[in-house]
Amino acid sequence: MIKFLPFLFKFLIEGAFSYLIFYKNEDSPNTLKKSDLYNLFNFCFVYTSILSIYNYFLNNSVSNSIISSLIIFFYAVIKSKKVKVWKFFIVYSSFINIFMECINFLIFKIISIPYQVFNLPKTQDHVMFVWTLTVIINFGIFLFLYTFRFIKLEIIRKLSTYEYSWIGFCLALLCVLYMKYYVKHYCNEVENFGIILSNFLLLIIPIVLFFIGVASKMSEKRNKEQNEIDENKIHNAINSKSLDLPNDFDPEIFEYNCKLIRRKLSKFKVYESRQGFNQMVFCISIIKFMEGKKVVLFKNVYPVLSEIIKVDVKLIDTNIRNLINETWTNTDPEILQREYKRPINKDRGHPTAREFLIYIANNLEN
């Protein structure tokens, strides 16, 4: 039972880390409420119990990564209220397991090197010491990464939007299983560590990069096609004059404003290859015609666009918010400070959809 304690603490630390990165990365990341602690305890209990029972009866640490990924995936699907996209859950559960296994593997092997170099006796106490020290260092690294937000959920979410990226992450997870199997059965000498790590990197890096690259190009192409479809629907609807638009709405001024809006968005590095681009352009154009009136996105902006392109207002809002989040994640901060001169909530880190759309509508340049 005592020799199983390092593994028990390892599962607890990994469970807490994977939960906190997912649920507390965006909103007040370094504070936990009572309800958060309750949910954290529930997840850690489920995560640790399943993995402990699995290892106790089957004693197969090689497949831990698969079991761990499944636990994270299903728990996130059941409990999450933020994201309901299965590809995101697959990418997140695979990514977090690959990351944790790589950190654990590197720490364990580095700690073991002195024993192998100086031919120190490999007793049961040695194994316990190495595993205990590995768990402690793991805890320190995970705490550091979480505290300073080195792993950003919005970046993982962006990777999950690429059409086939989830396949790349699943294959990468299989590479981790191969690495663990190889280490367990064939890695007996210190020089094998370099061979193992080389084989692992040669496998995992090209696979992930290839799928992300291909998925990125396909996603950009699909977004452009969808934006063109949205643009045609908008123009046809405006020309048919069947919409409930502001009284002073002028199609020619609308087209001119759209050009100015696209030019303004390009300064934020927001282009037509991004999902929801033309939806954002149209919403800003409508707000431009509403000068002096109160802007309520879900009442007098999104419903107009929803009627045209036959898309739910919540999806329109999600597309626009994701576009803003991605912009503040990927664009140079100096560009954002130069182009967006309104104050931003520090905890959120980016403007709300309403703030951004109104700002662009009020700051178009001829």
Side-chain angles (χ1 to χ4, degrees), residues 107-338:
I107 294 172
F108 183 81
K109 294 307 297 181
I110 291 172
I111 294 173
S112 300
I113 285 175
Y115 285 87
Q116 296 166 330
V117 171
F118 298 106
N119 293 320
L120 298 177
K122 298 179 181 179
T123 62
Q124 188 67 35
D125 292 337
H126 153 258
V127 176
M128 282 289 293
F129 171 77
V130 171
W131 269 112
T132 302
L133 191 57
T134 300
V135 170
I136 294 171
I137 296 175
N138 257 336
F139 174 76
I141 291 175
F142 290 163
L143 182 64
F144 176 80
L145 293 173
Y146 168 71
T147 302
F148 294 97
R149 296 191 69 199
F150 278 92
I151 299 178
K152 295 187 177 181
L153 193 64
E154 53 265 31
I155 295 176
I156 302 174
R157 183 181 289 114
K158 181 182 178 182
L159 290 175
S160 70
T161 61
Y162 300 148
E163 191 162 357
Y164 298 111
S165 62
W166 65 276
I167 299 177
F169 278 93
C170 288
L171 290 175
L173 187 60
L174 291 177
C175 290
V176 170
L177 292 181
Y178 161 77
M179 180 186 73
K180 292 176 71 176
Y181 176 82
Y182 194 96
V183 168
K184 183 175 181 179
H185 294 282
Y186 300 105
C187 188
N188 297 316
E189 300 178 5
V190 66
E191 56 266 22
N192 283 343
F193 172 71
I195 298 172
I196 289 292
L197 193 59
S198 299
N199 289 341
F200 174 69
L201 294 176
L202 285 173
L203 277 170
I204 195 171
I205 291 178
I207 288 174
V208 173
L209 291 180
F210 172 77
F211 275 93
I212 289 177
V214 171
S216 175
K217 293 297 181 182
M218 294 186 69
S219 179
E220 289 180 3
K221 182 180 178 181
R222 186 180 68 252
N223 289 340
K224 284 182 180 179
E225 292 173 351
Q226 184 59 51
N227 282 325
E228 289 176 2
I229 293 171
D230 290 345
E231 186 176 8
N232 291 332
K233 287 181 179 179
I234 291 168
H235 287 161
N236 292 336
I238 290 173
N239 293 331
S240 67
K241 299 181 179 181
S242 60
L243 296 175
D244 182 19
L245 295 169
N247 295 329
D248 57 348
F249 185 85
D250 186 320
E252 291 185 4
I253 296 177
F254 171 80
E255 291 293 338
Y256 179 70
N257 284 341
C258 284
K259 291 181 181 178
L260 296 181
I261 293 167
R262 290 188 176 92
R263 186 190 304 168
K264 183 69 174 178
L265 291 177
S266 68
K267 294 182 178 181
F268 287 85
K269 306 301 179 183
V270 180
Y271 301 111
E272 198 170 358
S273 59
R274 309 279 287 277
Q275 185 176 2
F277 176 82
N278 275 330
Q279 295 176 18
M280 176 178 280
V281 170
F282 178 82
C283 290
I284 296 171
S285 299
I286 293 297
I287 292 172
K288 183 67 178 175
F289 278 99
M290 294 172 61
E291 290 181 352
K293 299 179 182 179
K294 185 176 181 180
V295 176
V296 182
L297 296 181
F298 281 92
K299 187 175 181 180
N300 52 19
V301 179
Y302 291 160
V304 179
L305 179 58
S306 176
E307 183 183 348
I308 297 172
I309 63 176
K310 308 302 179 186
V311 172
D312 187 76
V313 291
K314 291 182 179 179
L315 182 57
I316 294 172
D317 180 62
T318 298
N319 289 338
I320 290 176
R321 284 191 292 108
N322 287 343
L323 196 49
I324 294 170
N325 294 348
E326 290 172 10
T327 300
W328 256 257
T329 299
N330 302 320
T331 305
D332 189 331
E334 291 185 3
I335 294 176
L336 296 176
Q337 290 174 6
R338 184 177 69 244

